[in-house]
Amino acid sequence: MGGREKPMEYSATTQERSTRSVTTHCPYCALQCAMRLNITERPQSAPSITVEGADFATNQGRLCRKGSTSAELLTGRTDRLTTPLMAVRDEDGERTGEFREVSWDQALDHVADCVKAIQQTHGSDAVGVFGSGSLTNEKTYALGKFARVALGTSQIDYNGRFCMSSAAKASTMVFGVDRGLPFPLTDLDAACTIVLLGSNVADTMPPFVQHLQGAMAKGGLIVVDPRRSATAELTAEGGGFHLAPTPGGDLALLLALANVLFEEGYTDRRYLQQRVNGLEDFRRSAAAWWPERAQAATGVGADQIRFIARRLGSAASRAREGGEPVFILTGRGVEQHRDGTDTARAAISLALILGLPGSTSGGYGTLTGQGNGQGGREMGQKSDQLPGLRSISSEADRTHISAVWGVDPKTIPGPGTPATELLHTMGTHSEDGRPGVRALLVHGSNVAVSAPDSGRVLKNLRALDLLVVADFFLSETAAEADVVLPVLQWAEEDGTMTNLEGRLLRRRQAVQPPSGCRSELWIFAELARRLGQPTGFPIDPAEVFEEIRRATAGAAADYSGMSWEKLDSGHAGYWPHPSTDAEETTDAVISQTTGPRELTLSGEPIIGTPRMFESTFAHADGRARLSAIRPRRQASPQADELTFTTGRLMEHYQSGNQTRRVPALDATHPEVTVEIHPAAARQFGLEDADYAVLENAQGSMRAKVRLDETIRADTVFAPFHFSGEAAANALTRGLTDPHSKMPEFKNTPVRIRRADSQEAAS
Ligand code: SF4
């Protein structure tokens, strides 16, 4: 399987003269499966589009249900937004809940006039911007530039703060740079052992499971999850292992595994001596977590902890002697806690003491969720960041970016407010006394459903002086907007995405958008002109990509050696790719290393750095940084409470704004369910298929009961894709990790009761 991405193909046949195929990538998750859209133009009606998986390294021809139905949203939709909308207000200025259609000039003039008036009265930071890990690199980059240059605001952040920020922070702290997988996904194929913590890939990205098959066949798949998820179920095939710690127990479990590895001499001493600082600090903190103590804190037996540690240590020892590699992977389950950064750091530390990262013995990686979750977190829409993973607080970085943008470095605002605080203080005041934003421009995000404490977010959205939402369907957030701007969908525009491997991909236009829709690039340019910034906002994605190359040159996430044309013609381009390394080769150009390793991506022309850290890490001294990790004490649920944890279903993506509109996906899981152990259900008087009400200080949700003997009896689970009374985030809190500011979605105390007849019928 070569995995080479094929360029655009327009292949008309004699039978169907207007049928053509375009190879592109799925609009949803970060696996970015390649797909072929076969488009048949039909006179006087919308084209018919079929989808098939295409040969590509991550999906190897397969698609999940979301990907294979993705084209259903492209044509023939009556709910597609096709013209700008403005909210209708009554004589008292109150919203009526209705919208009226307006022209683009009317909509953009109104937005610009309101922004100017708000900023004149309340200052530049009174206007905020909220972005997304689903936008292309070009739109993400332009959004960050638009906020800092055209609006002059520091108040920009994005929904990736909810998804990946703890692992990103941990990787930056330990390795010096954040790339989700610092190796090609296909490296997993040869593994004898894979430890997968807090990720249910069998449901969220099913084609990924192909890359676990090797480890599964060798009995080496170890899944850590409080639930017996579909991925945990895979451990039954071939004799793998499922550990089910308490929600939030992953950190103590990881430290206990490290404890055993230290105590029993499984660490890679030579690697640690040559490549890692801070070993003693980490060793001392792990020493506090002997297996029996961890058993009490996690619910995982001490004997099982020792067994898994020995198995892991033995596998890593064999790998050092030329055996099959060992990988440790993390997902959102370990991150969406108040100590998510520390937990991800503990997973990386475990990999380091085994000598895995950057060696032939294996590696550590974290699984990015959103389609452009990787590119989205390095293009400058984070509150503290400039393009290329540059810091907005660094004078050198500000100087470089200001030269690319053609502005005085002093005019670039400083760090803004991270997403949760931004949303929880808008229309009000933040905890440190700074005023919350009075206007918010939202792109590619449905915060009314996806943000923690969504009831508070909804209330704050309604308190804004101006809410502008760019979307292609009327999401729950767009329904609250003063102005709704209809934008383009994935297959209606060109761009680039960066997948979970740090590999750049070309997203290709396959169909014409509705005539009333516009690209965000055009919107930023038009608004910038109205706000007095007439130049510097190109609307051609290829032109924006060229600017990204200049902006990221010399940065950690360096795209400067990439080329739109090479990506278009099927090159596998992995950042960092400095322009000095622009020579193409069938082997890797390893910019940070002494030389290329044998690659499994044979036959693909590769540019950039598929495998990072082979000789150095990204800190100035080239060494990884271990340090002490000490779990913070967290309050246990009361006797009448359970621990509520949220997650995803196979059929739905993020807030469900797209997938809930696909009939086949909606029919499979039409309403929210809450998974509860039969013993807990008996305690609270619930039976299968009852309706239950879950409630706490934040709010309440109603869900259909699904009895599940495999979930922990102290834990309940519900997906977060639904809205209104079915919104799981009505219960989650605004508590965040102190390092990453990522919200705690996985550990919320709730009470549960049977819904009364009126609630059940609602
Ligand atoms: Fe692949 Fe993810 Fe799309 Fe499914 S949603 S087809 S796993 S990219």
Side-chain angles (χ1 to χ4, degrees):
M1 190 68 67
R4 180 168 179 176
E5 183 187 0
K6 294 204 172 54
M8 191 181 297
E9 303 165 2
Y10 284 90
S11 59
T13 66
T14 47
Q15 290 86 6
E16 290 183 325
R17 294 177 56 168
S18 57
T19 296
R20 57 197 168 85
S21 295
V22 177
T23 302
T24 187
H25 293 269
C26 177
Y28 299 123
C29 84
L31 200 58
Q32 283 296 288
C33 299
M35 55 172 56
R36 202 163 14 259
L37 302 182
N38 302 310
I39 304 142
T40 305
E41 305 291 351
R42 296 180 299 190
Q44 293 168 350
S45 65
S48 93
I49 306 174
T50 60
V51 181
E52 56 184 334
D55 185 17
F56 184 63
T58 66
N59 63 310
Q60 302 185 350
R62 301 184 190 184
L63 298 174
C64 77
R65 296 190 70 193
K66 295 188 288 287
S68 59
T69 56
S70 55
E72 292 186 27
L73 298 180
L74 286 173
T75 57
R77 301 288 312 195
T78 54
D79 52 355
R80 177 73 191 271
L81 296 171
T82 56
T83 188
L85 303 173
M86 282 176 63
V88 175
R89 294 182 180 272
D90 63 19
E91 290 170 353
D92 300 323
E94 297 298 321
R95 294 187 48 156
T96 63
E98 303 287 314
F99 287 99
R100 64 189 168 93
E101 295 184 353
V102 295
S103 70
W104 273 100
D105 276 340
Q106 285 174 301
L108 296 177
D109 287 347
H110 178 75
V111 172
D113 289 346
C114 289
V115 164
K116 282 189 220 166
I118 290 167
Q119 290 191 317
Q120 270 165 14
T121 308
H122 302 287
S124 298
D125 276 358
V127 177
V129 176
F130 203 90
S132 165
S134 295
L135 301 173
T136 61
N137 288 320
E138 293 70 31
K139 291 195 285 189
T140 305
Y141 171 85
L143 184 70
K145 179 179 173 183
F146 173 77
R148 274 68 175 246
V149 175
L151 296 173
T153 182
S154 68
Q155 299 300 305
I156 173 169
D157 212 52
Y158 79 121
N159 62 11
R161 188 73 74 168
F162 305 155
C163 270
M164 274 295 304
S165 48
S166 286
K169 186 71 181 177
S171 293
T172 306
M173 291 166 82
V174 182
F175 294 142
V177 70
D178 150 40
R179 196 179 95 184
L181 294 183
F183 48 81
L185 184 58
T186 45
D187 278 8
L188 298 182
D189 298 354
C192 68
T193 304
I194 297 175
V195 183
L196 184 57
L197 297 113
S199 182
N200 184 14
V201 287
D203 272 349
T204 56
M205 42 178 75
F208 184 102
V209 172
Q210 297 169 91
H211 304 288
L212 303 177
Q213 298 283 356
M216 284 164 59
K218 295 158 197 153
L221 179 63
I222 301 168
V223 175
V224 181
D225 195 318
R227 301 167 60 218
R228 183 86 179 168
S229 65
T231 309
E233 199 61 47
L234 296 174
T235 60
E237 298 175 29
F241 306 93
H242 172 214
L243 308 184
T246 51
D250 309 275
L251 177 50
L253 176 65
L254 285 162
L255 291 172
L257 291 171
N259 177 299
V260 177
L261 294 171
F262 279 122
E263 287 293 319
E264 303 193 5
Y266 284 108
T267 59
D268 185 344
R269 293 197 187 93
R270 183 189 297 178
Y271 173 97
L272 288 165
Q273 195 174 36
Q274 291 176 345
R275 306 200 57 184
V276 179
N277 290 333
L279 177 64
E280 283 312 308
D281 288 342
F282 177 62
R283 185 203 299 270
R284 274 198 291 277
S285 60
W289 287 93
W290 58 94
E292 283 72 18
R293 184 183 180 200
Q295 175 177 314
T298 67
V300 179
D303 288 346
Q304 198 173 17
I305 292 171
R306 285 196 178 87
F307 175 81
I308 294 294
R310 287 169 189 153
R311 201 176 189 294
L312 197 52
S314 308
S317 300
R318 287 196 302 277
R320 285 197 284 283
E321 302 300 319
E324 293 152 326
V326 175
F327 290 90
I328 297 176
L329 306 174
T330 58
R332 302 301 80 72
V334 301
E335 287 186 71
Q336 292 173 331
H337 296 274
R338 273 175 289 166
D339 53 10
T341 301
D342 282 348
T343 307
R345 220 154 50 86
I348 300 173
S349 304
L350 193 69
L352 281 170
I353 65 172
L354 291 169
L356 307 180
S359 81
T360 53
S361 303
Y364 163 83
T366 185
L367 305 181
T368 304
Q370 290 190 78
N372 199 27
Q374 180 70 54
R377 68 181 190 262
E378 60 205 27
M379 282 297 135
Q381 63 179 336
K382 259 179 97 185
S383 63
D384 56 354
Q385 189 199 72
L386 292 171
L389 292 175
R390 295 181 188 276
S391 167
I392 205 162
S393 301
S394 155
E395 281 310 313
D397 287 343
R398 294 168 65 85
T399 301
H400 180 94
I401 292 298
S402 63
V404 175
W405 288 353
V407 300
D408 184 333
K410 293 195 197 74
T411 64
I412 297 179
T417 308
T420 301
E421 190 186 346
L422 179 69
L423 297 173
H424 284 187
T425 58
M426 59 188 172
T428 167
H429 287 79
S430 65
E431 282 155 15
D432 65 3
R434 281 188 296 172
V437 299
R438 291 172 175 267
L440 191 69
L441 280 61
V442 181
H443 292 266
S445 192
N446 188 9
V447 293
V449 177
S450 62
D453 196 355
S454 55
R456 181 175 176 179
V457 171
L458 207 47
K459 183 165 138 275
N460 288 357
L461 286 172
R462 291 168 182 162
L464 289 169
D465 296 345
L466 175 71
L467 174 62
V468 182
V469 178
D471 212 323
F472 28 83
F473 295 113
L474 194 70
S475 68
E476 287 78 0
T477 307
E480 301 296 330
D482 299 288
V483 180
V484 181
L485 303 177
V487 290
L488 308 186
Q489 290 195 70
W490 56 291
E492 295 167 350
E493 59 184 345
D494 280 302
T496 65
M497 305 282 276
T498 306
N499 79 352
L500 77 175
E501 309 165 285
R503 174 176 174 167
L504 268 81
L505 312 167
R506 275 280 285 109
R507 172 177 276 188
R508 298 188 175 92
Q509 182 177 2
V511 294
Q512 288 299 321
S515 60
C517 298
R518 297 287 183 275
S519 163
E520 270 105 334
L521 295 179
W522 180 85
I523 292 171
F524 300 146
E526 286 294 311
L527 280 175
R529 184 170 62 77
R530 285 167 169 81
L531 293 167
Q533 291 283 343
T535 60
F537 287 92
I539 60 173
D540 176 1
E543 204 179 324
V544 179
F545 186 76
E546 286 304 305
E547 193 173 315
I548 289 173
R549 291 179 62 191
R550 296 198 302 280
T552 60
D558 190 335
Y559 285 36
S560 63
M562 302 287 180
S563 107
W564 183 272
E565 292 72 25
K566 283 185 178 174
L567 295 175
D568 213 20
S569 63
H571 286 63
Y574 298 83
W575 70 256
H577 186 25
S579 54
T580 50
D581 288 340
E583 285 306 309
E584 164 194 334
T585 166
T586 52
D587 276 319
V589 175
I590 310 283
S591 62
Q592 298 182 343
T593 66
T594 52
R597 287 170 48 186
E598 186 183 345
L599 291 173
T600 55
L601 299 167
S602 58
E604 285 191 280
I606 293 169
I607 51 177
T609 312
R611 296 192 180 92
M612 301 177 78
F613 313 142
E614 290 195 311
S615 65
T616 67
F617 292 101
H619 288 300
D621 62 0
R623 294 168 70 86
R625 291 181 186 166
L626 287 175
S627 54
I629 302 174
R630 297 196 171 83
R632 290 186 299 281
R633 189 175 292 277
Q634 298 193 6
S636 303
Q638 304 292 315
D640 62 343
E641 291 176 331
L642 295 168
T643 298
F644 179 59
T645 183
T646 68
R648 298 154 204 262
L649 300 170
M650 181 189 284
E651 292 79 17
H652 290 300
Y653 178 69
Q654 298 294 92
S655 72
N657 186 38
Q658 291 151 278
T659 49
R660 280 188 276 123
R661 297 172 197 273
V662 176
L665 300 179
D666 185 53
T668 305
H669 212 110
E671 64 180 330
V672 70
T673 50
V674 57
E675 292 175 19
I676 183 169
H677 193 276
R682 277 194 296 279
Q683 180 187 351
F684 294 99
L686 296 165
E687 292 182 9
D688 198 42
D690 275 352
Y691 282 94
V693 173
L694 294 85
E695 51 200 355
N696 62 12
Q698 281 67 245
S700 66
M701 74 176 287
R702 189 195 68 132
K704 194 169 191 175
V705 170
R706 188 171 158 260
L707 297 185
D708 180 356
E709 289 190 343
T710 67
I711 195 169
R712 292 179 57 92
D714 55 6
T715 302
V716 285
F717 167 87
F720 67 87
H721 311 293
F722 299 87
S723 62
E725 292 183 341
N729 278 319
L731 299 166
T732 54
R733 303 177 283 191
L735 301 172
T736 58
D737 177 282
H739 304 288
S740 66
K741 303 299 179 187
M742 186 169 186
E744 179 190 58
F745 287 117
K746 303 289 191 197
N747 196 2
T748 307
V750 295
R751 297 178 302 282
I752 190 167
R753 62 175 172 82
R754 192 170 178 175
D756 63 32
S757 53
Q758 200 174 358
E759 291 167 328
S762 66

